[in-house]
Amino acid sequence: MSDSLFVEVPFEVQKPQDNLRLDLFLASRLKRYSRVQAQNLIREGRVFVRERAPKASFRVRAGEIVLIRYPRQIEAECPFEELGVLYQDEDLLAVNKPAGILSHPTDKSVKNTVTEILKRQFPALKLHPVHRLDRETSGVLLLAKSREMARILCETFSARRAIKEYHAIVIGQFPWKMKIVEIPIGREGLNIYSRQAAGLGVWAKTELRRLCLGKNFSLLAAFPKTGRLHQIRVHLAYLGYPIAGDKLYINNGTAYLKAVEKTISDSDLKELQAPRQMLHAFKLTLPHPRKDKPLQICADWPKDFKAVLNSARISETIQESVKALLK
């Protein structure tokens, strides 16, 4: 069968995953796949390491590339020709990721991903993402220009030496000026595979700071101290202040299922109180891997984020004052 009927999605093995079984590695990297589903991919001959299709018990090594072959699907044209560059030097590239695109390719989306857009925008560069943002989350996304630099940065993130500051617009008036949430997070195990739940799974910690209040919303800064899937979203929903527009964590994910089935209505969106989840990666601070100084990268709020703040009667003057203090 022609290779043009497939898309290959690469996953690089990081140092903490060295010597993992192949099926466990895939289950840890693929959000919607269990270990059994990962084993099925391997059994079908769709997973390659070192240009061969190994067994599930194969041990992956740090620095190796694991390729997964997915059947190519018809995909809508990407609405973005290029991404805004926030920072660039000989080692690093930081871009302002818009909401609505994935960080990297999956079986269902290739063109509408950060890595594919950047391939077209910077054809001479071989870029390596070092962290991810959810599809509907906007803001700072960092990539390395070499595999070695990616390894160093991944270690920086794993060691929690990178400080991530997210801004979230939540439904309701958040009562705390500052709140530390330390609640485990794990897969809920119901009808939505990717949905997480608080109170089970792995320990997670988030620091929340209230920036300002509106009529029906609050603007918060969130600092994840651990890196669990959907951590900020789950912790805020657990407190009773879900992120506006979050289809997965408002009303038990009903809007998410409708969106997947393409049956979501205007009344559903009105109940969510925003067109997408209002979570924005505002600032990333980390030690530069080559220069002896910290690196701080900021991404301004996008237009839809500002529009929700305006609807909350948080004036543009207050918005600019808040941003000036934060930067």
Side-chain angles (χ1 to χ4, degrees):
M1 190 174 289
S2 170
D3 286 346
S4 65
L5 299 178
F6 293 92
V7 59
E8 289 188 341
V9 180
F11 291 92
E12 185 169 350
V13 181
Q14 306 300 333
K15 192 173 181 180
Q17 299 156 335
D18 185 60
N19 206 38
L20 266 184
R21 282 175 55 109
L22 180 59
D23 54 351
L24 289 174
F25 169 76
L26 290 176
S28 72
R29 293 298 302 270
L30 299 172
K31 286 185 180 179
R32 298 185 299 275
Y33 281 72
S34 66
R35 184 177 178 182
V36 170
Q37 289 171 310
Q39 289 170 345
N40 289 338
L41 282 178
I42 296 165
R43 193 177 299 113
E44 292 166 5
R46 290 166 53 189
V47 180
F48 296 85
V49 186
R50 304 174 202 163
E51 298 184 352
R52 63 189 183 94
K55 295 181 179 179
S57 58
F58 177 84
R59 299 281 175 172
V60 297
R61 307 301 303 185
E64 286 185 329
I65 301 296
V66 177
L67 286 174
I68 305 176
R69 281 185 127 206
Y70 292 110
R72 188 178 292 277
Q73 300 188 23
I74 297 173
E75 185 180 352
E77 288 301 315
C78 181
F80 303 101
E81 292 186 6
E82 58 182 37
L83 302 179
V85 174
L86 300 171
Y87 175 85
Q88 184 172 193
D89 62 24
E90 65 271 22
D91 299 308
L92 310 175
L93 175 69
V95 296
N96 192 355
K97 176 191 170 301
I101 62 171
L102 292 168
S103 297
H104 59 80
T106 67
D107 55 333
K108 294 184 176 64
S109 185
V110 177
K111 296 182 207 174
N112 291 281
T113 62
V114 169
T115 51
E116 290 300 305
I117 295 168
L118 292 178
K119 278 182 185 177
R120 300 190 291 271
Q121 188 173 349
F122 300 102
L125 295 180
K126 178 69 174 175
L127 295 167
H128 306 264
V130 295
H131 65 123
R132 305 179 194 179
L133 297 176
D134 294 336
R135 184 195 293 269
E136 290 198 352
T137 300
S138 54
V140 181
L141 189 67
L142 185 63
L143 303 98
K145 292 185 176 180
S146 69
R147 189 172 293 178
E148 175 61 16
M149 195 55 59
R151 182 191 63 77
I152 294 170
L153 288 170
C154 285
E155 288 180 358
T156 299
F157 278 82
S158 297
R160 308 298 171 202
R161 294 196 298 272
I163 301 171
K164 301 175 183 177
E165 178 178 344
Y166 290 80
H167 289 176
I169 303 173
V170 302
I171 297 173
Q173 294 201 317
F174 196 73
W176 303 279
K177 287 185 178 179
M178 199 272 281
K179 178 76 172 174
I180 302 289
V181 188
E182 294 188 71
I183 300 291
I185 291 174
R187 192 166 73 83
E188 189 176 58
L190 297 177
N191 59 337
I192 304 176
Y193 184 81
S194 60
R195 184 177 155 97
Q196 307 296 296
L200 47 89
V202 183
W203 176 77
K205 180 178 180 180
T206 307
E207 178 183 331
L208 301 166
R209 299 178 193 170
R210 190 180 69 202
L211 300 178
C212 57
L213 295 173
K215 183 182 178 183
N216 303 311
F217 301 101
S218 303
L219 175 64
L220 309 181
F223 301 84
K225 305 300 183 182
T226 50
R228 313 304 174 211
L229 180 63
H230 301 169
Q231 177 175 316
I232 297 170
R233 300 162 63 189
V234 174
H235 277 169
L236 284 167
Y238 167 80
L239 291 176
Y241 297 90
I243 296 174
D246 194 335
K247 301 176 183 68
L248 198 55
Y249 294 104
I250 293 175
N251 293 340
N252 297 316
T254 302
Y256 174 85
L257 291 173
K258 289 183 177 181
V260 170
E261 296 164 357
K262 301 189 186 317
T263 60
I264 193 164
S265 65
D266 290 341
S267 61
D268 294 319
L269 293 174
K270 186 176 181 180
E271 189 173 4
L272 294 171
Q273 302 191 48
R276 56 101 176 173
Q277 68 191 34
M278 291 290 110
L279 185 61
H280 177 69
F282 178 73
K283 186 188 299 182
L284 178 64
T285 306
L286 71 161
H288 193 286
R290 199 184 297 273
K291 301 173 183 177
D292 187 23
K293 62 178 182 179
L295 175 63
Q296 187 176 94
I297 307 165
C298 290
D300 196 6
W301 298 330
K303 288 181 180 179
D304 60 354
F305 198 93
K306 292 177 182 177
V308 175
L309 290 177
N310 291 335
S311 73
R313 298 184 183 175
I314 298 174
S315 71
E316 291 186 12
T317 302
I318 294 173
Q319 293 176 36
E320 293 305 315
S321 298
V322 168
K323 282 191 293 183
L325 287 172
L326 292 167
K327 289 182 180 179

